[in-house]
Each structure stands twice: as structure tokens, then as C-alpha cells.
């Protein structure tokens, strides 16, 4: 039995030694499209985060299982894998706490002006005539927090927001979520909130969901956080509107990753950017690897469980 990791670098420094219990393990830190087929020769199980496993790859290898090291499965041709009898598994639920935490890290940084005060303290505070230096900041208590996409992560954010004293409302991107714990409102009403956070997948209903036609509804000094997918917000439209309308943004996801040098988000002053790391706390990555290990263990032991699909 041979098992290959194609892009282990995406997991950071998480130890993968336990997979050696199952098979001969080969680990590649990164793999480009031209290397994929060659590296999967005589391989039974492949573990991939973002490397594409398509029809061409499957037709030119003898894969028996594809373990996706993420929740999203768009990098694998699922229908063709089914035709070929190749088991495909993903992992889910590992990053809820991590993503919620970064959501609040961004919001609290912005609303408390942490970056500004850090810079002031290091460069100007020693020259102050008084013991403090006040630039207005606000409390979360009493603010309206609008959530776009009330899945597991959205619900975690909602719970924490309530503990800060926020009024929580949500918009269902599928139109099928009828959570009785929070008030469901229209997208237009959501965009009038004090804080708006996105925790939705990218699909035909969410692609370009926020654009020049509705981004203008975001009020002055409000905060827009995107922890979903880059394509949900039209980046050029946001760049044209954000600073002009004096609201703030925090983005962990982008339409193209890694971010391109000409991405319009890089021109915005009122924005915090992180490189798609909300999912990646140490604990979340350890849980991800544990879930993948369990999937592979079940496959090798003959427990053909396709629930992950």
C-alpha cells in the first residue's frame, strides 16, 4: 500500500508520521500540475488539499482513494471518481473555532483601533504631555451583527457575538435555513448592520453576491468581514466604494489565491488582509489530520463509508 501527500506544505508543521502505520508514505511539500500524474504512479491513496485530481489524473493512475485535506471538494472530479470506483473523502467541522476566532480578531482590531494604538505607542507615546491618547473607538455591546451564511461557523460567530451584547441577525444564502434562534432578514437589511461577517460557500447563489449595487448600503464606520470565499464579494467594486464611504473591511479569502499583485483590495486603506489562514490554528490542523487518518483507516479496514461525500 502506498500513500502520497501532494501538498503537505499547506498543513504547516503538523506531524504526519502516524500515516506510516498504514502504508509506505511519500510526502511532497508542493506539487504542480505537470508533476501530479508522475508522482501518483503505483499509488493507492492520495492526500491533497488544493492539487487538482481530474479525469486525466485518474485515467493515468491506479488510485483507490482520494483524501481531500479540506471541506471543499471542487479540486476533485467527483462524478468521474464515482464512475472509476475511487473512494473520495473530505474532512469537515475541524475549523469552526479557528475561523470564528479570527473573525473576532479582525473585528476587535478594527473597532478598538489596535493597529493604530500599537503604532502610536511605539512611535509617539513617549512624547505625550498626558498619560493617555484618545482616538474614538466603540463597544460591540448594543451593535447589530449581521451574518451571511448561518452554518456551523456562522452559528459559532453568532453565539460569541451575543456574548458581547450584539443583536444577531442573519441572511440565508440558500433560502432554506430557518434557524429559530436568530432573526432572518433580507440581504439589504443585513448590509445595514454595524458588523457584517460572511461565512458562506461560493456557489451560483453567492458568486458576486456583494457588488456595486448593494455595497453602497453599508453604512459609515461599519465593518465587513469575509471569511467565506473571495468571489462572494466583487473585489473591484469594494475597492471603489470602501474608503469613499468610510467603512472598514477584513478579508481572509480572495478571488485568486495567493493574492495577485494587482488585486484591487491591496489599494484599500480601511482593510485588514490575512492569507487564507482562518482555518489553520494548530488545533484545527491537528483535528483535520486526525479526521483524514480516521477516513483512511476505515478505508483500509474495508469500511467503505461514503458519508463524507
Amino acid at each position: 500500500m502506498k500513500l502520497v501527500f501532494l501538498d503537505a506544505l499547506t498543513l504547516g508543521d503538523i506531524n504526519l508520521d502516524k500515516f506510516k502505520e498504514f502504508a509506505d508514505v511519500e510526502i511532497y511539500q508542493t506539487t504542480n500540475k505537470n508533476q501530479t500524474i508522475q508522482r501518483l504512479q503505483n499509488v493507492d491513496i492520495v492526500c491533497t488539499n488544493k492539487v487538482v485530481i481530474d479525469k486525466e489524473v485518474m485515467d493515468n493512475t491506479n488510485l483507490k482513494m482520494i483524501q481531500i485535506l479540506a471541506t471543499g471538494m471542487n479540486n476533485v472530479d467527483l462524478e468521474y471518481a464515482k464512475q472509476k470506483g475511487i473512494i473520495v473523502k473530505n474532512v469537515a467541522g475541524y475549523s469552526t473555532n479557528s475561523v470564528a476566532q479570527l473573525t473576532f480578531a479582525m473585528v476587535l482590531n478594527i473597532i478598538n483601533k489596535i493597529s493604530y494604538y500599537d503604532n502610536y505607542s511605539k512611535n509617539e507615546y513617549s512624547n505625550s504631555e498626558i498619560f493617555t491618547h484618545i482616538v474614538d473607538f466603540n463597544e460591540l455591546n448594543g451593535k447589530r451583527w449581521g451574518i451571511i451564511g448561518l452554518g456551523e461557523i456562522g452559528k459559532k460567530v453568532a453565539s460569541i457575538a451575543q456574548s458581547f451584547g450584539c443583536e444577531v441577525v442573519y441572511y440565508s444564502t440558500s433560502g432554506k435555513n430557518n434557524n429559530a434562534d436568530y432573526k432572518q432578514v433580507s440581504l439589504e437589511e443585513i448590509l445595514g448592520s454595524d458588523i457584517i461577517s460572511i461565512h458562506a460557500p461560493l456557489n451560483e447563489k453567492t458568486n458576486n453576491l456583494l457588488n456595486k449595487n448593494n455595497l453602497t448600503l453599508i453604512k459609515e464606520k461599519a465593518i465587513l468581514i469575509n471569511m467565506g470565499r473571495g468571489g462572494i464579494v466583487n473585489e473591484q467594486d469594494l475597492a471603489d466604494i470602501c474608503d469613499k464611504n468610510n467603512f472598514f473591511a477584513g478579508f481572509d479569502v480572495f478571488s485568486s489565491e495567493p493574492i495577485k499583485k494587482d488585486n484591487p483590495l491591496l489599494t484599500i486603506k480601511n482593510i485588514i488582509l490575512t492569507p487564507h489562514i482562518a482555518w489553520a490554528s494548530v488545533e484545527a490542523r491537528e483535528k483535520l489530520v486526525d479526521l483524514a487518518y480516521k477516513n483512511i483507516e476505515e478505508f483500509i479496514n474495508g469500511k467503505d463509508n461514503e458519508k463524507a461525500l
Side-chain angles (χ1 to χ4, degrees), residues 155-166:
K155 286 188 288 187
K156 183 71 175 183
V157 170
S159 175
I160 299 171
Q162 280 190 323
S163 73
F164 273 99
C166 293

Side-chain angles (χ1 to χ4, degrees), residues 63-76:
L63 293 172
K64 298 178 178 65
M65 179 185 184
I66 301 168
Q67 173 62 61
I68 303 172
L69 302 171
T71 302
M73 306 175 77
N74 57 304
N75 60 322
V76 174

Side-chain angles (χ1 to χ4, degrees), residues 1-8 19 23-28 31 35-54 57-58 61-70 75-76 81 86-90 292 295-296 299-300:
M1 183 75 68
K2 186 172 182 180
L3 185 156
V4 165
F5 286 84
L6 289 177
D7 50 356
F19 290 89
D24 176 20
V25 177
E26 197 160 1
I27 298 174
Y28 297 100
T31 298
Q35 296 171 319
T36 305
I37 292 174
Q38 178 188 355
R39 290 182 173 180
L40 294 181
Q41 294 303 303
N42 302 312
V43 170
D44 301 287
I45 302 170
V46 59
C47 293
T48 174
N49 190 329
K50 298 300 182 186
V51 177
V52 172
I53 308 295
D54 56 14
V57 173
M58 291 183 229
T61 58
N62 292 302
L63 293 172
K64 298 178 178 65
M65 179 185 184
I66 301 168
Q67 173 62 61
I68 303 172
L69 302 171
N75 60 322
V76 174
I86 301 171
I87 299 299
V88 183
K89 297 289 185 74
N90 66 343
N295 285 343
I296 294 171
F299 170 74
I300 290 175

